[in-house]
Amino acid sequence: METFLTDALKEKYKQLADRCRAVLFSAPCGFGKSCAARALAGPGRTVTLSAREPGFSLPSLKEKWNTLILDDLEELEDEGAQQALCGLLRSCRSHRILLLSRGPLPGWLLPFQTTGVLGVLTAQDLLLDRGTADKLLQAHGVYLSASELAAIHKETNGYPLALELLAQHLERGEAFAAATSDAVRQEIFYYYEEAVFRRMEKATRRLLMELSLFETVTPELARIVTGDPHANERLVGLLRQTSMMHLEKLGNYTFWPIFRQFLRWELDQKYTSDQRCTLCDRGALYYELNEDYGSALKFYTRSGNKAKVADLLVKNAGLHPGMGHYLEMEPYYRALPEAEVRKNPALMQAMSMLCAMEMDFAGSERWYAALEEYRAGAAGADAREARSRLAWLDIGLPQREVEGLTELFPRVFTLIKNREISLPAFSVTSTLPSLMNGGKDFSPWSKRDTLLYKTLRLPVEAALGKDGVGLADCALAESLFEKGEDVRNQAMKLLAMLEHIRREGTPDMEFAVVGLLARVQIDAGRAQDARESLLDLRERFIRQEQTRFLPNLDAFVCRIDMMQGNDAAVALWYRDKAPRNPQYLQTLKRYQYFTQAMAQLALGDPQGAQVTLAPLEPYCQLCRRHIDGISLNLLRAVAEYRQNSPDWKPRLAAALDAAREFGFVRTVSQYGGAVLPLLEHTTWDADPSFLAQVVRKARRQGAYYPQFLSPAQQMEAPLSETERQVLQLLCAGKSNAEIGQALHIKLPTVKTHVSHVLKKLQVSRRTQVRDAAQRLHFIDR
C-alpha cells in the first residue's frame, strides 16, 4: 500500500536529516510511524529492528547498511542496550538512524537532541493535511467534493489510522455518516485494546480506566479516585512510555482525546453503574476539598448525590457572582425545589442575583421579597444572616439605583460596626477591569466625585472590608480619567498602593487598578506597555489560579491587538474566545460582547457587530449602564455609518448626550479614528465646547492607533455562485487544471473565473486570495 506523507513532513524530515544523524518519530499508535520512516529512509540497505524482540542487538557499523529503523524504543529499558545505542549515535557519521517510539524523547537521549545529533518528529508532524487525505482516499477509489473532504478531515483531524479505516468503509460503498464514523471508532478501540491496553499491567489498566472520567488528572485526584498509593509513580511511568498521556503543566496530566474515549468505552464495559458513581463521588470530593465547586457539583450530580449538591450550592451562594460562577451553576440552582430554596437565606440570595444576571428582574425581586419574608419570621443568628444577605443584595443587584448607595453605605457600616450584620464576600467589579463600570455603573457619582471621595471613602471601605481596599482612590482616578483629565498623579498613587492592595485586598481590585493604569498607558500612546502590563498580570493570575479573570483580561488584550493592527491575533481571539451567542445574553460577559462587536468591525463585519450589540441595549437601559450605553451607541453608529445607513446620526447623538451629561470625554474619544468621521459630520450642537474637546482627543487617539477598528477590505462586487466555488478551491491550493476537473469546466473558463475573483477581492496574486477570503469571511480563519 502506498504511504502518504504531507509535504510539510517531508520538508521537516529533510531539514532534520541534513543536520542530524538520527531522527526520533514520537507519536501514539496509529500515526503510521513505521510506514513514514520506511518511506523517508530512501534508497539503500535498511535494517529494521524492534527493541521488543527477544535477544535484540544493534548492528555493527562494519555491516553493510545505510539506515537503521529501530521500533518500540519505549521498550528499551536495559541500561546496557541504552548505552550501546548511545555509542552508535556517537560514532555513526555516514549512517542514518531512525528511532520509533510511542513515548516522548527519553531522558537518556536528551543530550543528543541538545547537541544537534538527534532531531524529533511528533504526532502533529505525522497528521495528514486535507490534500494528503484526499490522495489517500483517491487511492481507495474514493472521490469526494471539497465540502465532503472538509467534513471528513474535521471528523478525523488528519489521524492516519482513522482516515485509512474510513477509506476502506467508503471504498465498500458506505456513505460518510454517523454510523460509519461510529464503526471506524469501534475498530480503533479494538486496535488499541489489542496493541496497547492488554500489554499493560492490570493495575495500570485499572488506573487509566478510572481516571478517564476526568479531563485533567493530578496525582492527588488519582490517589483519591483510585485509592492506589502508587498512582503518581504509575502516571510518571506512563508519561515515559506512551504519548497517549502528556503533561499539560507540572502535576497536571491529560489524555490524548481518542484514547480517553477508548478508556471510557473500556470503563463502561467493565464497571457497573454503581461503581462508576462511586468514582464520580470520589472525584467530586477531591474538587470540593480544593474548593472547585463547579467541578464538584458536576460529579456529585453524575453520582446522584443530591444532598451534597444542595450543600455545595449553599457554600457557593456565599461567594460573589464573579467568584461563585452562578451562571455556570445555574442548572444546579434551577434543579432545587423552591421549598428547599426558601429554607436557606444563602440560596434565596443566590436565586435573586442569578435572576438579575439573566435580566429576569421580576424574578430577582420575588426572591428578594422571599428573603425579606424569611427575615421577618426569623430570630437570632438566622435573622442576622438574612439581614446580611439583604444588605448584600441592596448593594449588588444591578437593577438598584446607585444614587441610593450614598445613604446605604453609611447605614451598612453602622450595622457592621454594631455587629448586627456580617457582609458576605463581595466584589464591585464582577471581574471586569473597571470600578466605575464594574458590578454597577457609578456614573452618577462622577458628578460630585471629589466630594463623595471625601465623605464616603471611610464608610465604603470599612463596609466592604478586603473588597474595599483601594476602592475609593481607584474610583476617583477612573472618574477623572473618563472626564478627560490628567490623572498621572492619581495613577502614581495607585501604583504605589498596588502591593498593599495585593496583600490586604482582593484580586478584583488589583485587576481594576491595573486595568485603569493600562488605559492610561494606551491614552498616552503606549499600547505595547499596556499589553505587557496585562500579560504580566495574566501570568500572576494563572500562578494564583485566579482563572475567573482570564476571559475579560484576554478580551482587554484583544482590544490592544486591534489598536496595533494585529488582525491575526484579533481573529484568533474571535474564533476561540468570543462569546458568539448573543441570543442567550450573559450579562457578566458584557465586556467580552463589546470586544466581540469591536472585533467584528475590525474584521469587516458591521452587520455581525449589530447582531452582537442589539441584545445589550435593554440591559443598558434597565440597569442604567451609562458607560456601556455610550459605547453601545457609538459602536452601532460606526456599524451603521459603514453600512450607509442614516441611523448613525441619532445613535451618535444619543451617545454624545449621555457623555455630556457626565462629562465623559474619553468614553467617546477612546474609539479614535473609527468615530472621527462621524464626529466631523454630526449635526449635534448641544455643547460645541464639549464636542471640540472630544474631537481633539479622538484625533490624538486616531494618530496613535490609525488601524484601530479601521474598515476591513471590501469587495469590489459580489461573487457569483461559480466564483464562490472557484474561490474555495483556490483557497484549498488547487491548480487551474484541478479546479476545471472539480467543476467540470474548461481551462480558459477557469482562468476567466480566477481573474474575476482576484479583481473582486482586490488582490493581484493567487497567493493573496486566502488572506482576503478570510478577512471577508468566505472561509474560516
Side-chain angles (χ1 to χ4, degrees):
M1 188 72 178
E2 183 182 352
T3 300
F4 296 93
L5 309 176
T6 65
D7 291 339
L9 173 61
K10 294 174 187 175
E11 180 60 29
K12 186 169 183 180
Y13 175 81
K14 182 178 181 301
Q15 291 173 0
L16 292 176
D18 286 345
R19 66 175 190 268
C20 303
R21 300 176 202 166
V23 176
L24 170 68
F25 293 71
S26 170
C29 59
F31 271 83
K33 298 183 293 293
S34 301
C35 294
R38 285 195 296 269
L40 292 167
R45 189 179 174 202
T46 298
V47 175
T48 302
L49 300 172
S50 169
R52 183 179 289 142
E53 294 172 357
F56 155 78
S57 64
L58 293 167
S60 166
L61 288 175
K62 296 179 181 179
E63 297 178 35
K64 294 182 179 180
W65 58 275
N66 301 100
T67 303
L68 167 64
I69 298 178
L70 177 56
D71 203 351
D72 303 309
L73 180 69
E74 72 278 2
E75 300 285 342
L76 197 65
E77 297 179 348
D78 179 73
E79 190 172 338
Q82 292 175 2
Q83 291 302 318
L85 179 57
C86 291
L88 188 62
L89 286 169
R90 290 189 194 97
S91 55
C92 75
R93 298 189 181 276
S94 58
H95 298 68
R96 177 80 55 215
I97 298 178
L98 304 182
L99 306 173
L100 316 183
S101 176
R102 290 178 178 175
L105 176 75
W108 52 274
L109 284 179
L110 186 61
F112 293 98
Q113 185 190 34
T114 56
T115 55
V117 173
L118 174 68
V120 179
L121 292 169
T122 66
Q124 196 65 35
D125 298 313
L126 294 167
L127 290 172
L128 303 187
D129 58 28
R130 197 180 298 183
T132 311
D134 193 18
K135 292 177 183 176
L136 184 154
L137 291 162
Q138 289 183 23
H140 284 270
V142 178
Y143 297 88
L144 301 172
S145 67
S147 60
E148 290 172 321
L149 182 62
I152 284 177
H153 195 263
K154 184 177 180 180
E155 173 83 17
T156 62
N157 200 30
Y159 180 37
L161 177 60
L163 279 165
E164 175 60 35
L165 292 173
L166 180 59
Q168 293 175 17
H169 280 268
L170 299 181
E171 187 178 18
R172 293 195 291 268
E174 298 177 32
F176 175 59
T180 310
S181 295
D182 289 343
V184 168
R185 192 175 295 108
Q186 189 69 63
E187 289 167 6
I188 292 173
F189 289 172
Y190 288 143
Y191 174 68
Y192 287 168
E193 190 173 48
E194 191 64 37
V196 180
F197 200 59
R198 288 184 181 175
R199 297 181 182 182
M200 294 178 175
E201 296 178 355
K202 184 177 180 180
T204 301
R205 295 201 301 268
R206 174 176 164 268
L207 178 87
L208 287 171
M209 283 190 295
E210 293 183 354
L211 294 181
S212 67
L213 289 165
F214 309 95
E215 290 183 19
T216 301
V217 174
T218 66
E220 185 187 3
L221 172 66
R223 285 192 297 271
I224 290 175
V225 170
T226 66
D228 184 349
H230 303 291
N232 191 38
E233 299 167 37
R234 298 190 202 283
L235 290 172
V236 171
L238 284 164
L239 201 63
R240 290 174 180 160
Q241 296 172 352
T242 177
S243 302
M244 295 289 195
M245 174 176 271
H246 68 275
L247 197 64
E248 190 176 56
K249 63 179 182 178
L250 193 61
N252 280 34
Y253 300 84
T254 57
F255 293 103
W256 187 47
I258 195 167
F259 186 59
R260 183 176 175 227
Q261 293 175 22
F262 160 72
L263 292 172
R264 292 289 300 273
W265 175 71
E266 286 281 346
L267 182 74
D268 289 343
Q269 290 184 96
K270 294 180 171 59
Y271 282 54
T272 66
S273 175
D274 287 345
Q275 288 173 320
R276 294 196 297 272
C277 286
T278 300
L279 295 174
C280 288
D281 245 354
R282 293 175 186 171
L285 175 62
Y286 161 79
Y287 290 121
E288 182 182 359
L289 292 172
N290 285 275
E291 297 185 352
D292 181 354
Y293 294 151
S295 297
L297 279 168
K298 178 169 73 173
F299 283 97
Y300 276 135
T301 300
R302 285 186 185 178
S303 72
N305 195 334
K306 295 180 180 179
K308 288 299 298 183
V309 169
D311 179 51
L312 279 187
L313 286 174
V314 171
K315 288 183 181 180
N316 178 73
L319 302 175
H320 179 263
M323 291 182 280
H325 309 295
Y326 282 3
L327 290 174
E328 290 85 344
M329 297 183 183
E330 178 196 3
Y332 308 111
Y333 282 113
R334 298 291 189 193
L336 288 175
E338 182 164 325
E340 189 74 24
V341 177
R342 287 180 175 272
K343 294 176 185 177
N344 192 294
L347 292 178
M348 284 185 277
Q349 169 200 322
M351 290 300 293
S352 180
M353 180 56 77
L354 180 61
C355 289
M357 290 191 298
E358 295 181 329
M359 295 179 63
D360 176 13
F361 300 121
S364 175
E365 294 297 339
R366 182 171 69 86
W367 282 113
Y368 182 92
L371 183 54
E372 277 194 316
E373 183 181 334
Y374 176 95
R375 178 198 58 79
D382 290 340
R384 183 172 181 270
E385 183 186 3
R387 284 196 300 271
S388 300
R389 296 191 180 280
L390 285 167
W392 188 96
L393 289 170
D394 287 333
I395 296 172
L397 284 175
Q399 67 267 31
R400 299 296 172 83
E401 295 274 3
V402 296
E403 287 88 339
L405 294 181
T406 55
E407 297 176 0
L408 178 64
F409 273 121
R411 191 163 68 247
V412 168
F413 171 59
T414 301
L415 292 171
I416 292 173
K417 188 177 178 181
N418 296 337
R419 298 187 177 181
E420 295 181 50
I421 66 169
S422 174
L423 206 61
F426 206 88
S427 168
V428 292
T429 69
S430 291
T431 72
L432 273 78
S434 172
L435 274 174
M436 285 285 293
N437 189 29
K440 298 178 84 73
D441 185 311
F442 286 94
S443 296
W445 285 24
S446 66
K447 295 178 180 179
R448 45 198 178 113
D449 45 23
T450 305
L451 175 63
L452 289 174
Y453 174 80
K454 293 176 181 177
T455 58
L456 282 181
R457 182 172 67 87
L458 291 178
V460 167
E461 292 187 349
L464 296 179
K466 284 172 65 74
D467 300 285
V469 175
L471 182 148
D473 288 283
C474 185
L476 176 62
E478 193 171 349
S479 176
L480 297 175
F481 178 80
E482 292 290 347
K483 293 177 181 179
E485 297 185 27
D486 184 348
V487 295
R488 282 176 291 183
N489 291 337
Q490 288 85 352
M492 290 301 102
K493 183 178 179 181
L494 284 171
L495 198 56
M497 293 175 61
L498 196 52
E499 194 53 45
H500 173 68
I501 292 170
R502 287 169 175 162
R503 188 174 59 253
E504 304 294 336
T506 64
D508 300 69
M509 195 58 58
E510 180 183 2
F511 188 24
V513 169
V514 173
L516 175 59
L517 295 175
R519 289 166 62 200
V520 171
Q521 289 174 311
I522 290 168
D523 188 70
R526 293 162 46 212
Q528 185 57 32
D529 291 344
R531 192 177 198 278
E532 290 170 6
S533 298
L534 292 171
L535 292 178
D536 286 344
L537 182 64
R538 190 182 197 281
E539 289 182 13
R540 178 181 174 83
F541 280 158
I542 289 174
R543 288 195 302 271
Q544 297 173 341
E545 298 185 348
Q546 298 285 357
T547 54
R548 59 197 172 93
F549 297 98
L550 298 188
N552 285 331
L553 206 159
D554 289 340
F556 199 158
V557 172
C558 178
R559 295 187 183 198
I560 296 177
D561 288 329
M562 292 182 217
M563 293 172 188
Q564 296 178 318
N566 190 347
D567 281 352
V570 174
L572 194 63
W573 178 88
Y574 181 72
R575 185 193 70 188
D576 295 340
K577 298 180 179 180
R580 306 295 286 274
N581 187 10
Q583 288 80 23
Y584 178 60
L585 180 67
Q586 297 184 13
T587 58
L588 284 180
K589 293 184 178 181
R590 63 183 182 279
Y591 189 82
Q592 297 161 60
Y593 285 120
F594 277 105
T595 307
Q596 175 175 311
M598 293 161 68
Q600 288 165 319
L601 287 174
L603 298 172
D605 185 14
Q607 183 57 42
Q610 296 272 40
V611 171
T612 297
L613 293 168
L616 287 163
E617 193 152 5
Y619 169 74
C620 292
Q621 293 170 353
L622 290 169
C623 293
R624 290 164 289 280
R625 306 293 315 196
H626 306 288
I627 296 174
D628 282 342
I630 293 168
S631 288
L632 183 142
N633 277 315
L634 286 172
L635 291 172
R636 293 197 71 176
V638 170
E640 284 157 352
Y641 182 83
R642 292 181 183 177
Q643 293 176 294
N644 298 315
S645 167
D647 292 339
W648 70 267
K649 292 182 179 180
R651 284 279 177 195
L652 180 64
L656 291 172
D657 285 339
R660 174 177 173 263
E661 179 184 352
F662 303 107
F664 289 162
V665 174
R666 283 194 178 96
T667 315
V668 181
S669 67
Q670 66 177 320
Y671 294 105
V675 78
L676 260 178
L678 287 69
L679 293 171
E680 291 170 347
H681 292 92
T682 184
T683 56
W684 185 84
D685 58 358
D687 190 336
S689 175
F690 176 78
L691 181 61
Q693 191 180 2
V694 169
V695 170
R696 184 169 63 253
K697 288 191 176 292
R699 281 180 179 151
R700 189 176 72 169
Q701 293 303 296
Y704 285 147
Y705 313 113
Q707 293 177 290
F708 183 47
L709 303 187
S710 60
Q713 177 179 346
Q714 300 296 314
M715 288 283 293
E716 184 182 78
L719 295 176
S720 68
E721 183 57 37
T722 303
E723 288 166 350
R724 282 177 175 269
Q725 293 174 338
V726 169
L727 173 61
Q728 295 287 340
L729 293 168
L730 281 172
C731 292
K734 300 298 184 183
S735 67
N736 284 355
E738 289 172 321
I739 293 172
Q741 183 180 15
L743 300 180
H744 303 291
I745 53 179
K746 295 180 180 179
L747 193 58
T749 308
V750 173
K751 291 179 179 179
T752 300
H753 285 311
V754 170
S755 175
H756 288 167
V757 169
L758 266 60
K759 186 173 185 296
K760 290 181 178 181
L761 265 59
Q762 300 187 49
V763 298
S764 56
R765 296 188 300 275
R766 294 170 72 107
T767 54
Q768 300 171 319
V769 166
R770 185 174 181 82
D771 285 342
Q774 288 175 339
R775 286 195 300 272
L776 293 163
H777 304 284
F778 284 111
I779 61 172
D780 291 333
R781 291 178 180 268

